[in-house]
Amino acid sequence: MKDIVIIGAGGFGREVKIIIDAINKETPTYNFLGYYDDTIEKGTLVNNFPILGSVNELNNLNTKICVALGIGNPIAKSTIINNLINKLLYFPSLIHPGVFVSDDDVLIDDGCIICAGTIITCNIKIRRFVTLNLMCTVGHDTIIDDFASFMPSVNISGEVHIHEKVYVGTGAKIINKLTIGKETIVGAGAVVSKSLPDYCTAVGIPAKPIKFHKNE
């Protein structure tokens, strides 16, 4: 059994704990120790498990430990990972047993969180620290770059390239053969029928950029 902790004890962090429990029911793999969270006092119990400290305290650990990101915001995920310099931290991808992943040329890099009901078809590359929430679909020949996050019931058609730190809201749909630029936000329920540039927020049916934001 490998010791594991979750960064973030909010709603999604607690849902990541459910994924760990589901994995352990299939094959005992992880010993869950608790949460690291900057906003909750150390020692506080969250669903009977303790807040172990602030996130930066992970840099002080002197034993190997697995770490999962219970955070949905792509920029926050990137910032946290860039600040964790402890070489003893490992970031396994947590895939709920209720996820369908084909055996045909699917790459899932480290640190991904993939929730129950998601379907991942063939010839797909999912890069580091991608979050696919409940009931998402990822079509053939799609590439998803680092730190992108997809809320529940997002549908991604085939041959789509989604760049780093993209956030896609609940129920959005992305039509095939499109590109979503880095750090772009797609609003809940949007239908993306044309490629979107970097650093924009796009909403509606069809989705159109309504504002642009600079990379911080």
Side-chain angles (χ1 to χ4, degrees):
M1 298 284 280
K2 302 173 184 176
D3 288 343
I4 192 168
V5 298
I6 295 172
I7 294 175
F12 186 59
R14 286 176 273 127
E15 290 181 338
V16 171
K17 164 63 165 50
I18 294 171
I19 298 176
I20 293 171
D21 292 342
I23 291 170
N24 283 338
K25 285 180 181 178
E26 293 277 319
T27 305
T29 305
Y30 297 109
N31 175 39
F32 181 63
L33 302 180
Y35 301 90
Y36 283 82
D37 194 299
D38 292 342
T39 65
I40 304 175
E41 184 178 356
K42 187 174 183 176
T44 301
L45 293 181
V46 176
N47 290 349
N48 298 316
F49 286 90
I51 300 297
L52 300 169
S54 63
V55 174
N56 280 338
E57 289 182 53
L58 285 164
N59 284 323
N60 301 326
L61 298 182
N62 56 14
T63 57
K64 292 181 180 179
I65 196 165
C66 296
V67 180
L69 281 182
I71 306 272
N73 183 292
I75 305 300
K77 289 194 294 184
S78 175
T79 299
I80 288 168
I81 293 303
N82 288 336
N83 288 333
L84 291 177
I85 58 175
N86 189 341
K87 300 299 184 183
L88 296 175
L89 304 180
Y90 293 85
F91 299 92
S93 283
L94 299 180
I95 302 173
H96 192 284
V99 171
F100 173 82
V101 182
S102 87
D103 296 325
D104 295 333
D105 192 25
V106 174
L107 170 69
I108 300 174
D109 274 343
D110 294 340
C112 295
I113 305 293
I114 304 180
C115 299
T118 289
I119 298 172
I120 299 168
T121 67
C122 57
N123 305 94
I124 290 167
K125 292 180 174 61
I126 299 174
R127 301 299 187 187
R128 300 166 61 246
F129 300 103
V130 168
T131 302
L132 287 160
N133 213 310
L134 297 163
M135 305 295 290
C136 291
T137 61
V138 184
H140 65 88
D141 300 288
T142 286
I143 299 170
I144 303 175
D145 288 338
D146 296 349
F147 300 108
S149 286
F150 305 85
M151 297 304 100
S153 301
V154 170
N155 301 134
I156 305 166
S157 298
E159 300 176 83
V160 172
H161 189 177
I162 297 170
H163 286 272
E164 65 181 50
K165 304 178 196 173
V166 165
Y167 178 94
V168 181
T170 299
K173 302 179 186 301
I174 302 172
I175 304 304
N176 60 309
K177 297 185 178 181
L178 300 183
T179 298
I180 310 297
K182 61 184 177 181
E183 296 190 31
T184 277
I185 298 168
V186 177
V191 176
V192 182
S193 57
K194 293 183 179 180
S195 294
L196 296 173
D198 299 344
Y199 307 122
C200 78
T201 296
V203 300
I205 303 174
K208 296 179 181 179
I210 58 170
K211 65 180 179 179
F212 287 83
H213 46 273
K214 293 194 304 182
N215 183 24
E216 298 296 335

